[in-house]
C-alpha cells in the first residue's frame, strides 16, 4: 500500500459508510445512538492511522485517480487526488476536530430525535472535506465542496420546526449557489482546456476560483450569512462556522494558487477583499451582543487575514494560521453555553466590563447596521428583482413572455453567431407555439419538445438554427429557474422548476447530439412523477400551497419529505446523485460550443437548486400545522418506489425509442 | 367581544395607558436573566384565576397547550395585527422582520459584556437609543424603518402620551388597545418580560442600563404602526376598515369561555393516581418517635435531599434528619472566591440583611492565576484581528490539548481531578478560607445576645427538637456542572440558585459558641455538652460532601462518633448516586463504572446537557414532623419541610414556615410544570442550539426572542401534575393561618394552583383545603 492507496481508502471509507447510513435512514431505519457512536469513533481512529501512514509514506508529489475515469464520448471525469502538505494539514485538522465533535455530540445530542441525522450530515461533511482536501483538479474538489455546502445547510436547518433556521439555511444556500456557480464554470473550463486545448483567458479561471472562495468563506461582501447561520446545534456551528467549513475558501485559494497568483489583479483582489473582510468582521462583530454571531464575525475577520497572507504568498503561515484558528474558534463556540456562568460569573468580570468602551449610537450606526450591505442588497437588488419577476409572472404566462424573449434573444444571438435569423425564427415559432398550449396541471405533456425531436430526426431543423435555438432554450431555462425561485405558489414553482430542467435537455442534444447516457431523461421522468405524486398527496393538507410561508409538514409526512429532498437533489444534479454525471456532461457540451451557453446553463442549474431547496424548506420546515386535517397523507409504502422506478424506466425507454 | 366605544379625550387616555401597561407587565413571564436566576411561577400573573382557567387564558397568550396531550390553542383567528395581511402582499414575513430588528436593537442595548462597545444612550433610555440609531442610519433596510424613524422623531418626552398617540393612530377602538398591546408584547415575550424585570430590579444589570417597559412597548407599537402605514400607502387601503374586519373576527382571550376539554379529566385522573397513594401512605403510617437520636442532620427542604435523608436514616437508624430552608436563617449577601461581587443567598423575596465575603481570593498557584488573567484578556482580544491571529498561532496547541482532554475524554479528566485534591464546587467556599463578616453581621457576632437570638430564631423556625445531640450537621447544597447556562436552576432555591455553605458556616460559627449555647439553654434548649454544629456542603450532581471540619473543634470524645457519621454519610451518598443513576440512560453499570463515578463525570463533562435531573418529577410537599414520612420511599418527589405542631401552640411558626417556604415550593414546581407542559412555548426548548444573548439569557440562533423557562433536557422526565401539599396541623390553626395568609398564598390555595391538604396531628385524618380538585 502506498500513500495514494491510503488516501483512496480514507475517502472511500467515509463515503461508503455515510452513504450506506444515508440509504438506511432514507428507507426509515433509525440506528441506535450506541452504534453510531462506535461507528464514528472507529472511523475517526482509522482515519488517524491512515493519515499518519500517509504523512510518513508520502513524498508529497503523488497524484493519482480515485476511481477509474468515467468516460462519456469525448468527455471524461477524472477524480484525481494527490498528497500535498496543505492537504495533509487540513485532513489532520478535520480528523482532530471532527473526532472531538463526534465525541462531544454523542452526549450533547443524547436522546435528541435527530441524533442519527446529525451524525449522518457530520459524517458527510467529513467525507466532503477529505475529498476536497486531497483533490487534485476540479472534479473531486467540486464534489467535496458541494457535499460540505449541503451538509452545512442541512445542519443549519436541523431543527425542522424553526422557520428562522430555515431562512438562515436558505440564505446560506443561496450564497453557496452563487459560489458554486463560479466553481462549476471553472471546472467546466478546466475540462475544456484539458481535453480540447481550448484555452480560456488566463484570468478567467482564476477570477472564478477567487469568487467561489469569497462566497464559501463568507468574505466581503458576503459576510452576513455566516453569523446568522448559527441556528443548528452548537457542535455543528462550531465545526462549520468556526472550524472547518469556513476555511474551505482559503484552502481552495491555496490549492489553485497557480491559477490566480500569477495574475497581479487577482492577487490584489484577494488581498483587498481579505483586508475588507478583516475590517468588516472586526468592526461589525465588536458590536454584536450575542455570543455566537460575535464569534462568527471574528472568524470572518481572521479568514480575511489568512487571505491577505495568501495574497502575499506566505503559504506556510496561512496554513498554520488556518489550523490554529480552526482550533481556537471550535473551542470558543463549544464553550458558548458556559458564558453566563463562566464569563459573567467570573470573579474578574469587573475587569472585563472595564474594557467595554462607550460610544454614541449615532457614531456606530454604520457598523451596527452591517455597513448597510444587507440593506442595500434588499432595497436595490432583491426587492426590485422579486417585484419585476413577479410582475412578469403575473402577465399572461407563456405567450407574451416567450414572444418577448424569443425576439430579444434572436436579435442578440443572430448578431452573436453571425447567422441569418430566418430559419431559426421559424423553428422557434413552432416550438414556442406548441409550448404555449394550455397544458393544465401536467408537465408531462411537452409538445414543443416532441416537435423538436421530430424536427431533429427528420432533418427539418436548419443547421443555422441550432446555435440560436440552444441559446433560446437555455435562456428559457434561466427564466424558468427565476420563476421557480420567485413564484408564490408551490405548484407553479415546481412546474417551472421541471420546465427549466427540461428545457436544457433538448438544448444539450442540439449541441452535442443525443445524450450518450440517457441519464437526464430518466432522472427528469422520475422526478416529474415524484413531484406530481408528492404534490397530490400534500393537497390533502391544503388546497393551496403558497411559497411565502412555512407549512411545517415535515413531522406529519417524514417519508414524503425525504422523497422530495432526494428527488430534488437528483434533478439539480447534486454530486453523488444520479443527475451529477449528466450535469457535468451537459455543461461540458455547452462550454465546448460556447462560453455564454455554458454560463447560462450553470446559472439555470444554480437557480433550480436554489428554488428546489427553497420549496423544500417552505413545505416541510417551520412550525407544524395546528389543524388535524389529513392525518393519512403520508407516503403509503415502499411499494411506491418500486412502481415509480418501473414506470420511469418504461417512459425513459419510450423516449429513447422515439429518438 | 370588544365593542366600539365613544372616542375618549386625550388626558383620560394617558391615565388609562399607564394602567394598561402595568396590567400587561403583570402577565408577562417574570424571568430574571440567568446570571441571577430564581424560580418563579411563569404564569404568576394569572394566579388570580382558578388554575385551569388561568392556564387556558395563558395558553392563548402564549399560543401554548393548556393541558398535557391537548393541541396547541389556535391563534389564527385571534389577532389584531395586520402583519398577516401584509406578509403575502409584501412577499416578506412582516412579523419575523420586526422580531429580527427589535431583537437586534434590544440585544445591543441590554448587552452586559459580549460586545466591546456599549452606548452612551444606555443612560437615557431605549427610546432615545432607537431614535438616534434610526436617525443616524443613512440607508434603512426597509421603508417601514423610515416611517418608524419619522414617528419616533415626533414623540415628545412623555411616553404615556406618545403611546396614547400611537394607539389612537392604529385604527382600533380604545377598548381593544390592551388586547392589541398584549399581543404585541407576547410576540417577543422573553424580551418583554426581561425588560420589565430590568426596570423593576436594576441590580440585574452589571453595566448600568436604563430600562423602561413603557418605552419598549412604545417602540413595539410604533414599529407595527409603521408597517401598517407603509402597507396602507402602498396598497391604498384604509387602516380603520382593515382593523374593523380583524376586530369583527376577534375573540378576546378574556371574554371567551373556557371549553371543557376531555384532557381535563385525564389530567385530574393523572393527579389522583399520583396523589392518592401518597396521601394514603402517609395517613396509614403508624409513627414511632425516635427515643434519643445520636445526631441531627439538617438538610435543605429540597426534594433532591429527600433520598439522601432516607439513605442516612436507613444506614444509621439512630440519626434524625430535618428539612429546613437552605439559607439557614441568615439573610445573606455573600461573595465567594469565585464571585465578582456579592450575591443574594437567601430566598428571592427577602432583601439580604447581612454581608460577608470569603477572605482568600485565590488559593491556586501563580500559573493558574496567570492563565485566568489571560482568559479575561482573551474575552475581547481573541475576537479582534491581531489578538485573534496571536491566539490562533500561539494558544491553539493549548486549546487543542484542552479539547482532547475535557471534550473528547472527559472521563480521563474527571479521574485526574479526583486524584488531586477534590475541588470545592464552583461558587462555594473553600474549607481553608475564612469568612469575613461585615456590618450588622459583625455586630451580631460581637453581641452574644443577638447571636443567640439569630440561632434561636432559626431553630424555632425549623422546628428543631429542643434537645440537641452532640453532633448537628448543617448540610447546604449546590450542584456542579460545566458549560451550562442553566447552572443556577440546579442550585439551592432558597439561596437564589447559589449554595448555602456560607450561611451554614456562619450559623455554625454562632451556634458553636459556648456563650450562645448558654444563653439558649436559658430559653429551654438542651445541649449535649458540647453540641457541635458542623457545616457541610452536598453537591447534588456529583454526590460529594465537603465538610467544613476545620471551622469547628470536634473534641476527642466525639471523634469516633464523627468518623462513624462520616462513614454513614459516605455510604448514603453512594446509595443516593445509585438511585439517581437509574434514571440516566447513558449509565451502563455493566461497564464496571460505579454510579458515583458516573454522576461525578456528568458534572465535569462540558458536553453533558443533563448534569442531573434537578427537581424533575417533583409532585409533593410535606410540612410536618419527620415521623410522618420516615422510612417512606418518596422517590425524590417531595419537598420535606420540618414543622412540629406539638411545639407551636399559637400557630406562629406555622405561619412563618408556610409564608416563607410554600411560595418557594410553588414557584419551583410551577416552573417545572409549565416547562414540561409545553416546552416550546412555556419552556426554553432543546438545549442543543442555544446561544447566549447579552450575557443574560439564552436564545435560539442569533436573532429573535429570548427563551424563557427551562430547557427540554431538564424537564423531560417531569410529569406535569399539580403540587400536592400536606401540612401537619390542627384544623383551627390551619384555618386561622389561611384566613390571614398573604394574598399570593390565598390565591394559590383558593384557585387550586397548589392542592393543599391538612393531616391532623392526632387523628391522622386528611382534609382537603381547596374547594375540591377541579
Amino acid at each position: 500500500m502506498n500513500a495514494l492507496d491510503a488516501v483512496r481508502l480514507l475517502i472511500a471509507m467515509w463515503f461508503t459508510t455515510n452513504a450506506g447510513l444515508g440509504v438506511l435512514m432514507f428507507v426509515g431505519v433509525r440506528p441506535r445512538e450506541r452504534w453510531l457512536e462506535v461507528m464514528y469513533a472507529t472511523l475517526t481512529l482509522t482515519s488517524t492511522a491512515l493519515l499518519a501512514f500517509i504523512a510518513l509514506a508520502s513524498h508529497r508529489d503523488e497524484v493519482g485517480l480515485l476511481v477509474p475515469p468515467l468516460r462519456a464520448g469525448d468527455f471524461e471525469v477524472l477524480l484525481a487526488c494527490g498528497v500535498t502538505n496543505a492537504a495533509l494539514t487540513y485532513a489532520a485538522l478535520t480528523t482532530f476536530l471532527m473526532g472531538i465533535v463526534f465525541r462531544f455530540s454523542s452526549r450533547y445530542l443524547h436522546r435528541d430525535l435527530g441524533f442519527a441525522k446529525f451524525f449522518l450530515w457530520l459524517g458527510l461533511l467529513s467525507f466532503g472535506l477529505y475529498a476536497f482536501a486531497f483533490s487534485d483538479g476540479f472534479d473531486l474538489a467540486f464534489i467535496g465542496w458541494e457535499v460540505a455546502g449541503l451538509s452545512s445547510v442541512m445542519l443549519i436547518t436541523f431543527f425542522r420546526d424553526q422557520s428562522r433556521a430555515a431562512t438562515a439555511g436558505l440564505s446560506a444556500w443561496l450564497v453557496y449557489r452563487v459560489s458554486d456557480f463560479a466553481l462549476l464554470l471553472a471546472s467546466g473550463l478546466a475540462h475544456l482546456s484539458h481535453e480540447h486545448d481550448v484555452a480560456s483567458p488566463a484570468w478567467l479561471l482564476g477570477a472564478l476560483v477567487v469568487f467561489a472562495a469569497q462566497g464559501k468563506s463568507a468574505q466581503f461582501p458576503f459576510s452576513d450569512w455566516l453569523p446568522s447561520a448559527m441556528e443548528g446545534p452548537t457542535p455543528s456551528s462550531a465545526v462549520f462556522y468556526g472550524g472547518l467549513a469556513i476555511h474551505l475558501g482559503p484552502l481552495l485559494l491555496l490549492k489553485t494558487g497557480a491559477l490566480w497568483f500569477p495574475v497581479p489583479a487577482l492577487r490584489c483582489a484577494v488581498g483587498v477583499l481579505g483586508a475588507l473582510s478583516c475590517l468588516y468582521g472586526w468592526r461589525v462583530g465588536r458590536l454584536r451582543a450575542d455570543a455566537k454571531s460575535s464569534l462568527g464575525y471574528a472568524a470572518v475577520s481572521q479568514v480575511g487575514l489568512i487571505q491577505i497572507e495568501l495574497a502575499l504568498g506566505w503559504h506556510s503561515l496561512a496554513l498554520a494560521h488556518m489550523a490554529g484558528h480552526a482550533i481556537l474558534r471550535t473551542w470558543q463556540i463549544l464553550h458558548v453555553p458556559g458564558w453566563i456562568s463562566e464569563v459573567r460569573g467570573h470573579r474578574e468580570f469587573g475587569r472585563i466590563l472595564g474594557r467595554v468602551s462607550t460610544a454614541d449610537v449615532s457614531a456606530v450606526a454604520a457598523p451596527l447596521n452591517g455597513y448597510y450591505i444587507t440593506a442595500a442588497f434588499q432595497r436595490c437588488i432583491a426587492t426590485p428583482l422579486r417585484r419585476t419577476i413577479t410582475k412578469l409572472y403575473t402577465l399572461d404566462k407563456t405567450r407574451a413572455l416567450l414572444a418577448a424573449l424569443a425576439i430579444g434573444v434572436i436579435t442578440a444571438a443572430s448578431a452573436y453567431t453571425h447567422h441569418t435569423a430566418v430559419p431559426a425564427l421559424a423553428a422557434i415559432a413552432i416550438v414556442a407555439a406548441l409550448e404555449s398550449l394550455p397544458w393544465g396541471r401536467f408537465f408531462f405533456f411537452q409538445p414543443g419538445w416532441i416537435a423538436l425531436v421530430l424536427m431533429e430526426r427528420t432533418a427539418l431543423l436548419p443547421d443555422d438554427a441550432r446555435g440560436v435555438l440552444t441559446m433560446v432554450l437555455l435562456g428559457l431555462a434561466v427564466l424558468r429557474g427565476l420563476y421557480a425561485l420567485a413564484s408564490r405558489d408551490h405548484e407553479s414553482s415546481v412546474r417551472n422548476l421541471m420546465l427549466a430542467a427540461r428545457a436544457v435537455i433538448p438544448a444539450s442534444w442540439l449541441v452535442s447530439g443525443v445524450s450518450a447516457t440517457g441519464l437526464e431523461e430518466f432522472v427528469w421522468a422520475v422526478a416529474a412523477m415524484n413531484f406530481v405524486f408528492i404534490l397530490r398527496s400534500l393537497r390533502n393538507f391544503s388546497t393551496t400551497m403558497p411559497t411565502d410561508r412555512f407549512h411545517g409538514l415535515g413531522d406529519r409526512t417524514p417519508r414524503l419529505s425525504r422523497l422530495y429532498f432526494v428527488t430534488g437533489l437528483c434533478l439539480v444534479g447534486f454530486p453523488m446523485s444520479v443527475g451529477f454525471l449528466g450535469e457535468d456532461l451537459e455543461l461540458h457540451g455547452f462550454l465546448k460550443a460556447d462560453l455564454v451557453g455554458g454560463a447560462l446553463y450553470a446559472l439555470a442549474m444554480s437557480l433550480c437548486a436554489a428554488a428546489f431547496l427553497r420549496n423544500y424548506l417552505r413545505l416541510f420546515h417551520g412550525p407544524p400545522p395546528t389543524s388535524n386535517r389529513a392525518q393519512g397523507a403520508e407516503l403509503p409504502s415502499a411499494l411506491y418506489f418500486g412502481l415509480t422506478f418501473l414506470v420511469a424506466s418504461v417512459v425513459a425507454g419510450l423516449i429513447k425509442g422515439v429518438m | 367581544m370588544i365593542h366600539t366605544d365613544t372616542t375618549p379625550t386625550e388626558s383620560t387616555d394617558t391615565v388609562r395607558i399607564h394602567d394598561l401597561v402595568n396590567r400587561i407587565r403583570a402577565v408577562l413571564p417574570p424571568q430574571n436573566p440567568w446570571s441571577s436566576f430564581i424560580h418563579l411561577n411563569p404564569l404568576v400573573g394569572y394566579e388570580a384565576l382558578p388554575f385551569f382557567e388561568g392556564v387556558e387564558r395563558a395558553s392563548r397568550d402564549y399560543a401554548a397547550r393548556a393541558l398535557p396531550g391537548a393541541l396547541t390553542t389556535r391563534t389564527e383567528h385571534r389577532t389584531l395585527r395586520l402583519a398577516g395581511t401584509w406578509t403575502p402582499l409584501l412577499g416578506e414575513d412582516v412579523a419575523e422582520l420586526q422580531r429580527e430588528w427589535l431583537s437586534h436593537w434590544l440585544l445591543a442595548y441590554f448587552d452586559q459584556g459580549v460586545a466591546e462597545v456599549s452606548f452612551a444612550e444606555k443612560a437615557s433610555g431605549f427610546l432615545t437609543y432607537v431614535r438616534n440609531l434610526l436617525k443616524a442610519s443613512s440607508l434603512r433596510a426597509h421603508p417601514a424603518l423610515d416611517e418608524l424613524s419619522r414617528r419616533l422623531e415626533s414623540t415628545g418626552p412623555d411616553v404615556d402620551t406618545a403611546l396614547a398617540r400611537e394607539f389612537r393612530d392604529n385604527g382600533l377602538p380604545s377598548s381593544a388597545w390592551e388586547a392589541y398591546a398584549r399581543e404585541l408584547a407576547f410576540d417577543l415575550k422573553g424580551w418583554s418580560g426581561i425588560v420589565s424585570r430590568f426596570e423593576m430590579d436594576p441590580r440585574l444589570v452589571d453595566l448600568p442600563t436604563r430600562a423602561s417597559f413603557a418605552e419598549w412597548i412604545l417602540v413595539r407599537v410604533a414599529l407595527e404602526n409603521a408597517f401598517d402605514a407603509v402597507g396602507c400607502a402602498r396598497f391604498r387601503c384604509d387602516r380603520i376598515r382593515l382593523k374593523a374586519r380583524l376586530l369583527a373576527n376577534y375573540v378576546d382571550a378574556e371574554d371567551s369561555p373556557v371549553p371543557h376539554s376531555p384532557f381535563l379529566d385525564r389530567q385530574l385522573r393523572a393527579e389522583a393516581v399520583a396523589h392518592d397513594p401518597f396521601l394514603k401512605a402517609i395517613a396509614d403510617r403508624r409513627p414511632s418517635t425516635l427515643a434519643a437520636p445520636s445526631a441531627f442532620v439538617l438538610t435543605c427542604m429540597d426534594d433532591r435531599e429527600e433520598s439522601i435523608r432516607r439513605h442516612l436514616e436507613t444506614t444509621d437508624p439512630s440519626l434524625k434528619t430535618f428539612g429546613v430552608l437552605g439559607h439557614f436563617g441568615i439573610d445573606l449577601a455573600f461573595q465567594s472566591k469565585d464571585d465578582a461581587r456579592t450575591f443574594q443567598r437567601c430566598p428571592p423575596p427577602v432583601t439580604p440583611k447581612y454581608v460577608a465575603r470569603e477572605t482568600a481570593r485565590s488559593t491556586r498557584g501563580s500559573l493558574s492565576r496567570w492563565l485566568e488573567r489571560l482568559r479575561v484578556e482573551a474575552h475581547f482580544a481573541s475576537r479582534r484581528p491581531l489578538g485573534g491571529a496571536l491566539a490562533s498561532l500561539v494558544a491553539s496547541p493549548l486549546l487543542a490539548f484542552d479539547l482532547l482532554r475535557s471534550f473528547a475524554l472527559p472521563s480521563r479528566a474527571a479521574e485526574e481531578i479526583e486524584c488531586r485534591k477534590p475541588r470545592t464546587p464552583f461558587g462555594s467556599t473553600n474549607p481553608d478560607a475564612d469568612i469575613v463578616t461585615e456590618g450588622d453581621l459583625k455586630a451580631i457576632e460581637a453581641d452574644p445576645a443577638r447571636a443567640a437570638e439569630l440561632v434561636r430564631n432559626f431553630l424555632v423556625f425549623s422546628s428543631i427538637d429542643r434537645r440537641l445531640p452532640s453532633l448537628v450537621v448543617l448540610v447546604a447544597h449546590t450542584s456542579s456542572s460545566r458549560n451550562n447556562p442553566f447552572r443556577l436552576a440546579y442550585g439551592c432555591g432558597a439561596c437564589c440558585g447559589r449554595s448555602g455553605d456560607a450561611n451554614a458556616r456562619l450559623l455554625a460559627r454562632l451556634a458553636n459558641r459556648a456563650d450562645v449555647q448558654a444563653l439558649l439553654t436559658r430559653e429551654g434548649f438542651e445541649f449535649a455538652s458540647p453540641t457541635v454544629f458542623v457545616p457541610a456542603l452536598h453537591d447534588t450532581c456529583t454526590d460529594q460532601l465537603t465538610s467544613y471540619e476545620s471551622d469547628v473543634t470536634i473534641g476527642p470524645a466525639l471523634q469516633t462518633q464523627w468518623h462513624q457519621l462520616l462513614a454513614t454519610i459516605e455510604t448514603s451518598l453512594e446509595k443516593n448516586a445509585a438511585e439517581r443513576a437509574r434514571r440516566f440512560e447513558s449509565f451502563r453499570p455493566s461497564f464496571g463504572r460505579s454510579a458515583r463515578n458516573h454522576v461525578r463525570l456528568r458534572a465535569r463533562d462540558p458536553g453533558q446537557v443533563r448534569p442531573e435531573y434537578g427537581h424533575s418529577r417533583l409532585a409533593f410537599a410535606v410540612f410536618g414532623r419527620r415521623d410522618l414520612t420516615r422510612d417512606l420511599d418518596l422517590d425524590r418527589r417531595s419537598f420535606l419541610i420540618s414543622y412540629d405542631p406539638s411545639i407551636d401552640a399559637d400557630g406562629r411558626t406555622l405561619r412563618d414556615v408556610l409564608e416563607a417556604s410554600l411560595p418557594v415550593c410553588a414557584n419551583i414546581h410551577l416552573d417545572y410544570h409549565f416547562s414540561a407542559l409545553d416546552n416550546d412555548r412555556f419552556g426554553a426548548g432543546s438545549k442543543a442550539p442555544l446561544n447566549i444573548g447579552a450575557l443574560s439569557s439564552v436564545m435560539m440562533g442569533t436573532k429573535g426572542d429570548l427563551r424563557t423557562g427551562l430547557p427540554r433536557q431538564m424537564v423531560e422526565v417531569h410529569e406535569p401534575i399539580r403540587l400536592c401539599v400536606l401540612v401537619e396541623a390542627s384544623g383551627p390553626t390551619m384555618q386561622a393561618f389561611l384566613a390571614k395568609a398573604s394574598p399570593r398564598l390565598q390565591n394559590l390555595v383558593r384557585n387550586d394552583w397548589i392542592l393543599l391538604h391538612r393531616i391532623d396531628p392526632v387523628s391522622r385524618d386528611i382534609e382537603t383545603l381547596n374547594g375540591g380538585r377541579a
Side-chain angles (χ1 to χ4, degrees), chain A residues 103 107 110-111 164 234 286 289-291 294 302 331-332 334 338 344 347 355 357 359 368-369 372 379, chain B residues 35 96 116 118 120 137 140 204 206 361 372 377 382 385 402 407-408 483 585 605 610 688 691-692 694:
Chain A
R103 275 286 288 170
R107 276 118 44 201
H110 174 51
R111 284 172 65 91
R164 192 177 302 120
T234 307
R286 69 205 270 272
D290 69 286
S294 90
Q302 286 302 305
W331 188 91
Q332 282 186 318
L334 289 179
R344 196 165 177 189
R347 62 174 147 185
R355 298 272 188 284
S357 59
L368 202 58
N369 285 312
Y372 311 111
R379 287 192 100 153
Chain B
S35 47
E96 184 57 34
E116 228 181 311
S118 122
S137 304
R140 302 185 191 98
L204 296 178
D206 289 321
R361 297 279 287 138
E372 208 163 74
E377 295 301 328
S382 67
D402 186 57
F407 282 74
N483 214 15
E585 209 176 280
D605 179 359
R610 298 168 187 81
N691 185 10
I692 302 299

Side-chain angles (χ1 to χ4, degrees), chain A residues 34 96-97 100 103-104 107-112 159 161-162 164 227-228 230-234 278 282 286-295 298 302 305 320-321 324-325 327-329 331-332 334-349 351-353 355-362 364-365 368-369 372 375-376 379 386-387 488 548 626 628, chain B residues 34-35 71 74 76 88 96 104 107 111-112 114-121 129 132-133 136-141 143 146 204 206-207 234 337-340 361-362 372-373 376-377 379-380 382-385 388-389 392-393 396 399-400 402-404 407-408 410 483-485 487 585 588 605 607 609-610 688-692 694-696 700-704 712 716:
Chain A
R34 189 74 190 148
F96 177 68
L97 290 179
I100 301 271
R103 275 286 288 170
F104 182 82
R107 276 118 44 201
Y108 205 74
L109 283 136
H110 174 51
R111 284 172 65 91
D112 194 294
F159 293 97
D161 55 342
Q162 297 294 319
R164 192 177 302 120
S228 55
M230 308 257 188
E231 294 277 348
T234 307
C278 179
W282 171 44
R286 69 205 270 272
L287 290 160
R288 285 290 158 145
D290 69 286
K292 282 185 186 170
S293 69
S294 90
L295 288 173
Q302 286 302 305
L305 275 187
H321 194 167
H325 180 238
I327 291 168
L328 169 74
R329 293 290 173 230
W331 188 91
Q332 282 186 318
L334 289 179
H335 270 94
V336 157
W339 274 35
I340 291 180
S341 50
E342 282 147 36
V343 176
R344 196 165 177 189
H346 197 283
R347 62 174 147 185
E348 304 287 359
F349 182 60
R351 210 185 280 273
I352 291 180
L353 283 186
R355 298 272 188 284
V356 176
S357 59
T358 305
D360 278 340
V361 72
S362 41
V364 291
L368 202 58
N369 285 312
Y372 311 111
R379 287 192 100 153
R386 193 171 46 210
R387 234 177 259 164
R488 293 277 179 76
D548 53 15
T626 43
N628 271 333
Chain B
W34 279 100
S35 47
L71 280 176
R74 297 194 62 173
E76 289 96 281
E96 184 57 34
H104 181 51
L107 261 177
D111 179 43
Q112 297 297 310
V114 176
E116 228 181 311
V117 181
S118 122
F119 307 113
E121 280 83 355
Y129 156 80
N132 291 356
L133 173 62
S137 304
S138 40
L139 176 68
R140 302 185 191 98
D146 302 335
L204 296 178
D206 289 321
L207 274 178
R234 181 168 317 154
K337 64 182 185 308
D338 301 318
D339 298 329
R361 297 279 287 138
S362 175
E372 208 163 74
R373 189 68 194 276
V376 169
E377 295 301 328
H379 179 67
F380 292 127
S382 67
R383 286 179 272 154
R384 291 185 205 128
S392 303
L393 291 169
S396 54
L399 299 178
D402 186 57
L403 279 176
L404 202 60
F407 282 74
N483 214 15
N484 182 9
R487 198 167 56 88
E585 209 176 280
R588 298 185 198 91
D605 179 359
V609 281
R610 298 168 187 81
L690 290 184
N691 185 10
I692 302 299
L695 268 193
S696 301
M700 250 181 121
T702 55
K703 296 178 189 122
R712 184 169 61 71
E716 62 189 358

Side-chain angles (χ1 to χ4, degrees), chain B residues 368-673:
Chain B
S368 51
R369 205 179 309 172
W370 190 80
L371 281 176
E372 208 163 74
R373 189 68 194 276
L374 203 64
R375 179 142 190 215
V376 169
E377 295 301 328
H379 179 67
F380 292 127
S382 67
R383 286 179 272 154
R384 291 185 205 128
L386 292 180
L390 200 68
S392 303
L393 291 169
V394 178
S396 54
L398 262 179
L399 299 178
F401 174 71
D402 186 57
L403 279 176
L404 202 60
R405 198 187 64 133
S406 62
F407 282 74
L409 306 164
S411 53
R412 192 57 55 79
E415 276 158 28
E416 253 170 56
I417 288 165
E418 285 323 301
C419 291
R420 283 189 259 129
K421 197 179 157 206
R423 260 200 306 210
T424 51
F426 184 84
S428 58
T429 54
N430 201 316
D432 308 328
D434 203 18
I435 294 177
V436 183
T437 53
E438 288 173 20
D440 199 28
L441 197 55
K442 205 167 190 170
I444 288 178
E445 282 189 308
D447 180 357
R450 286 187 70 194
E453 192 195 342
L454 193 75
V455 177
R456 186 193 60 103
N457 284 348
F458 169 71
L459 293 176
V460 169
F461 176 85
S462 311
S463 296
I464 309 294
D465 294 357
R466 296 265 148 159
R467 196 167 169 184
L468 291 128
S470 43
L471 278 175
V472 177
V473 189
L474 310 170
V475 185
H477 70 107
T478 185
S479 177
S480 303
S481 55
R482 281 187 63 186
N483 214 15
N484 182 9
F486 304 97
R487 198 167 56 88
L488 288 184
Y490 292 94
C492 179
C495 298
C496 287
R498 285 158 212 277
S499 56
D501 54 329
N503 306 52
R505 290 177 74 179
L506 285 170
L507 184 78
R509 201 196 277 181
L510 298 177
N512 280 330
R513 276 160 50 172
D515 51 354
V516 171
Q517 291 196 0
L519 280 171
L520 286 174
T521 316
R522 263 188 249 159
E523 298 199 28
F525 284 94
E526 286 177 48
F527 290 95
S529 46
T531 291
V532 183
F533 290 80
V534 191
L537 178 67
H538 176 207
D539 188 326
T540 55
C541 186
T542 59
D543 265 323
Q544 276 169 312
L545 189 116
T546 319
S547 66
Y548 297 96
E549 284 169 64
S550 48
D551 279 14
V552 296
T553 37
I554 301 171
L558 284 177
Q559 280 295 341
T560 342
Q561 202 194 338
W562 170 241
H563 286 294
Q564 217 169 357
L565 183 59
L566 278 182
T568 309
I569 290 174
E570 202 56 24
T571 319
S572 315
L573 288 168
E574 243 153 63
K575 287 185 188 168
N576 197 40
E579 184 180 338
R580 290 175 48 216
R582 287 178 309 158
R583 301 239 167 251
F584 298 129
E585 209 176 280
S586 52
F587 172 55
R588 298 185 198 91
S590 56
F591 271 54
R593 264 219 181 100
S594 75
R596 262 187 104 190
N597 272 339
H598 178 79
V599 293
R600 202 174 289 154
L601 186 60
R602 295 184 91 86
R604 306 264 188 254
D605 179 359
Q608 183 54 263
V609 281
R610 298 168 187 81
E612 60 162 307
Y613 270 128
H615 298 277
S616 280
R617 304 176 68 254
L618 170 66
F620 317 112
V622 183
F623 291 79
R625 284 172 287 194
R626 180 58 174 157
D627 304 341
L628 273 182
T629 47
R630 203 180 158 115
D631 304 334
L632 203 60
D633 185 349
L634 290 174
D635 197 16
R636 295 167 60 86
R637 300 192 72 177
S638 177
F639 287 123
L640 296 175
I641 304 100
S642 296
Y643 166 68
D644 191 346
S646 65
I647 51 173
D648 179 36
D650 56 357
R652 262 182 61 188
T653 310
L654 180 75
R655 194 194 63 207
D656 292 347
V657 169
L658 286 181
E659 287 288 357
S661 316
L662 202 49
V664 176
C665 298
N667 283 335
I668 294 176
H669 175 263
L670 290 167
D671 212 354
Y672 275 77
H673 180 96

